[in-house]
């Protein structure tokens, strides 16, 4: 009868270890997913900032050749 107790304890211990391994595996996958999402967000922010700077430069461009020359002479171009 006592051997059933040992077998039950072993099964419980094995289930506990399997549960810990499963939990660690899931945690690692979640951490990798989070770091990947952060990297994608940073990349998107850089692209957005470049697009905004290009749009602002397009909006601020001089309309005439004389305005271009004046900006070049003034050192603001």
């Amino acid at each position: 009868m006592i051997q059933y107790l040992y077998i039950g304890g072993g099964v419980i211990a094995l289930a506990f270890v399997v549960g810990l391994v499963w939990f660690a595996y899931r945690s690692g996958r979640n951490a990798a997913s989070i770091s990947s999402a952060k990297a994608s967000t940073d990349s998107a922010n850089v692209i957005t900032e470049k697009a905004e700077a290009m749009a602002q430069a397009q909006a601020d461009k001089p309309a005439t050749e004389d305005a271009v020359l004046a900006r070049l002479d003034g050192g603001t171009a």
Side-chain angles (χ1 to χ4, degrees):
M1 231 18 213
I2 193 89
Q3 58 183 306
Y4 290 124
L5 184 62
Y6 289 139
I7 292 172
V11 169
I12 290 173
L14 181 62
F16 180 73
V17 170
V18 168
L20 283 178
V21 169
W22 175 79
F23 179 76
Y25 174 73
R26 294 288 300 176
S27 296
R29 284 186 55 196
N30 288 342
S33 175
I34 290 170
S35 65
S36 174
K38 286 182 181 178
S40 296
T41 302
D42 292 341
S43 175
N45 286 340
V46 168
I47 291 169
T48 302
E49 288 173 3
K50 285 183 181 180
E52 287 174 351
M54 290 170 58
Q56 188 63 43
Q58 181 73 19
D60 292 344
K61 73 177 184 179
T64 64
E65 184 178 337
D66 290 334
V68 171
L69 293 174
R71 284 186 66 186
L72 287 172
D73 287 339
T76 59

